[in-house]
């Protein structure tokens, strides 16, 4: 859905993205997380065609140039803070979006707003933050896109609304890429995780896969004897008596050294572990191979 | 992937409601600004009609001074916010990620506004011409500020005021500074134009006729620029010769010559002023197109 090859983007002297190679698969709900300033918004704006990369190439929807006519028609984009014409009523905002688009599903949009209890005659500026986000999402959905790119619009929604929205979208077979910095709530809704850190992707992979590949090992401090072929330590926390290790395992999950307890790792623990150690990465091999192959040609 | 192929390839490229829909967007977004400009124009027109019927001569020049600033109003409340407000509020991220292309969107935002304001300017110019009919030199003479109020030039000034606002709004991306700078730049351009206007075409030279101060307009032209003593073929006298006694001047058939713009050029001057204003506006609009298509949104 979104493919980046060595994409860099600079704003004056700061690099928001550096040599970012990434392939985000279709048909998934993809969560894009990372600390503030990691380059999430920059990446999504590049995908929406609002920015151009300083170097590198980026394609969307299977080879389309971001911002091209077909890419614009196929991507429903909601920018950070869900900007809308605040001085206009919600109904007029909807009509404006309809007139700016090639295809438009008016009944679905109206039904959705009615269901959410958003009055069409209320000024957008007087709606609550959650209602504004829902209006922006409705506009993004009504153009019948194949990919939704959402820059933290879900932050304004309560967890239930967020879950309902993503579940409904996933049911329709839409691909979704959304950014968030709330890691704890990703797991029930997202299938695929991309972690950006300091302008580079650090993790990219299916969430089930990530969970399966990481374990938390707890054991006595002082005798860390791990087989490096089986485990690589992402993060170690040592107390006087006990050491707690976040490890990625290459093989079976239960293979813990004697005297150690192996537990499944939570998604937020994995993400935080990687973010604390920017050198550690976990990226799908095919994506990197494809990216470097294209670079060579 | 079937959904994707359908959305990406299966549909026609025309927008759901075409250009009409795009123009409606412009109207709905900027309705208040359009209505404000219309209200001001309406008020001025009413005042002109009312004050002319009372006293035909002399017409109120302060009213016309207000009319001169209507293009500034268009540039400040319609032109400057057109792109600057989108950038300020981040709404260009909405407009530029829909099915419509940036250039098409910009065309639908700018061209209807320019056409409407241009027509309003032409109409206002006709009204001023009717209002000033008793004193034609007030608007026919290129040397007077009132020349800009002729229908064709004033249509040009309206379009230019709007375009200046749109351009500065696009370049600065802040509504208030763009509006202020629009007013300043417009007034500066209007002042320059009033100084340069009499030189749109090189002046004609002719002998001064007796008692022509009063009847100059009727007999000769729209603007008298200068006068000098010259030989019968029009060459000016040297400063030394000018000091010679009157009988020497008479003996050599020295006479007073004037440089002037003939009345036949009035229409041409109108067209020239309209022309350079429109060309300048098109250049600014072209710069806006370049900025918009290269620039990141907000």
């Amino acid at each position: 859905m979104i493919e980046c090859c060595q994409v860099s983007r600079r704003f004056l002297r700061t690099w928001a993205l550096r040599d970012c190679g990434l392939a985000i698969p279709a048909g998934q709900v993809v969560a894009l997380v990372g600390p503030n300033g990691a380059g999430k918004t920059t990446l999504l704006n590049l995908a929406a065609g609002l920015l151009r990369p300083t170097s590198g190439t980026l394609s969307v929807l299977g080879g389309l140039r971001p911002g091209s006519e077909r890419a614009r028609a196929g991507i429903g984009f909601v920018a950070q803070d869900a900007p809308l014409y605040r001085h206009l009523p919600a109904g007029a905002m909807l009509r404006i979006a309809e007139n700016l688009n090639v295809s438009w599903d008016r009944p679905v949009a109206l039904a959705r707003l009615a269901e959410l209890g958003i009055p069409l005659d209320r000024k957008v500026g007087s709606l609550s933050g959650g209602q504004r986000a829902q209006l922006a999402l409705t506009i993004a959905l009504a153009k019948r896109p194949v990919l939704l790119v959402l820059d933290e619009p879900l932050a304004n929604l309560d967890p239930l609304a967020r879950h309902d929205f993503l579940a409904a979208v996933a049911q329709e077979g839409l691909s979704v890429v959304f950014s968030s910095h709330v890691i704890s709530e990703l797991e029930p809704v997202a299938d695929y995780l991309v972690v950006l850190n300091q302008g580079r992707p650090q993790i990219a992979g299916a969430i089930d896969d990530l969970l399966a590949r990481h374990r938390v090992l707890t054991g006595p401090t002082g005798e860390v004897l791990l087989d490096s072929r089986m485990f690589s330590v992402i993060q170690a926390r040592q107390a006087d008596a006990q050491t707690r290790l976040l490890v990625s395992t290459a093989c079976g999950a239960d293979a813990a050294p004697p005297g150690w307890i192996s537990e499944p790792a939570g998604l937020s623990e994995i993400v935080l572990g990687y973010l604390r150690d920017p050198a550690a990465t976990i990226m799908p091999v095919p994506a990197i191979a494809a990216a470097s192959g294209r670079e060579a040609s | 992937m079937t959904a994707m192929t359908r959305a990406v390839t299966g549909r026609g490229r025309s927008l759901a409601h075409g250009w009409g829909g795009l123009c409606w967007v412009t109207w709905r977004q900027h309705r208040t600004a359009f209505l404000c400009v219309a209200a001001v124009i309406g008020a001025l027109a009413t005042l002109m009609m009312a004050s002319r019927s009372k006293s035909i001569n002399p017409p109120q020049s302060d009213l016309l001074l207000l009319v001169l600033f209507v293009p500034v109003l268009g540039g400040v409340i319609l032109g400057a916010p057109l792109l600057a407000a989108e950038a300020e509020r981040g709404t260009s991220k909405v407009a530029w990620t829909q099915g419509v292309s940036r250039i098409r969107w910009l065309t639908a935002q700018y061209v209807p506004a320019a056409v409407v304001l241009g027509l309003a300017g032409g109409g206002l110019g006709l009204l001023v011409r009717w209002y000033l009919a008793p004193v034609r030199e007030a608007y026919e003479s290129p040397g007077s500020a009132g020349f800009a109020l002729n229908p064709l030039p004033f249509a040009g000034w309206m379009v230019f005021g709007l375009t200046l606002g749109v351009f500065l709004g696009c370049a600065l991306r802040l509504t208030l500074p763009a509006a202020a700078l629009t007013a300043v730049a417009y007034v500066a351009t209007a002042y320059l134009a009033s100084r340069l206007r009499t030189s749109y075409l090189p002046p004609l030279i002719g002998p001064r006729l007796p008692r022509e101060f009063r009847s100059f307009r009727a007999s000769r032209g729209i603007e008298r620029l200068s006068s000098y003593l010259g030989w019968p073929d029009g060459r000016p006298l040297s400063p030394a010769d000018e000091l010679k006694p009157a009988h020497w001047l008479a003996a050599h058939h020295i006479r007073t010559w004037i440089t002037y713009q003939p009345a036949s050029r009035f229409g041409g001057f109108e067209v020239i002023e309209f022309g350079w204003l429109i060309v300048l506006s098109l250049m600014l609009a072209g710069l806006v197109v370049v900025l918009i298509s290269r620039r990141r949104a907000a």
Side-chain angles (χ1 to χ4, degrees), chain A residues 61 72 83 85 98 100-101 143, chain B residues 16-17 86 94 97-100:
Chain A
L61 306 183
R72 280 194 320 269
Y85 299 114
E98 173 173 352
L100 293 178
N101 272 297
K143 64 192 267 194
Chain B
H17 302 287
E86 300 267 357
V94 180
T97 50
Q98 309 301 324
V100 64

Side-chain angles (χ1 to χ4, degrees), chain A residues 248-297:
Chain A
S248 72
T249 68
C251 59
D254 296 328
W260 289 72
I261 303 165
S262 171
E263 291 169 312
L267 191 61
S268 43
E269 195 170 2
I270 298 174
V271 171
L272 291 175
Y274 276 89
L275 289 179
R276 290 205 179 95
D277 178 12
T281 58
I282 177 159
M283 300 287 291
V285 176
I288 292 169
S292 53
R294 202 171 310 129
E295 187 194 19
S297 67

Side-chain angles (χ1 to χ4, degrees), chain A residues 58-72 74, chain B residues 4 8:
Chain A
L58 190 89
S59 70
V60 291
L61 306 183
L64 295 180
R65 185 176 61 79
S68 64
E69 195 167 343
R70 294 193 308 168
R72 280 194 320 269
Chain B
M4 184 169 126
V8 169

Side-chain angles (χ1 to χ4, degrees), chain A residues 45 50 77-83 136 149-153, chain B residues 90 93-94 97:
Chain A
N45 281 345
L50 291 173
F77 176 68
V78 178
Q80 202 163 26
D81 303 324
V149 176
L150 313 173
D151 195 356
E152 290 191 24
Chain B
K93 288 182 185 170
V94 180
T97 50

Side-chain angles (χ1 to χ4, degrees), chain B residues 218-240:
Chain B
S219 61
R220 297 280 287 278
I222 46 174
E223 189 72 36
R224 210 179 106 125
L225 297 169
S226 64
S227 62
Y228 62 92
L229 289 176
W231 299 96
D233 59 1
R235 277 182 302 124
L237 289 187
S238 65

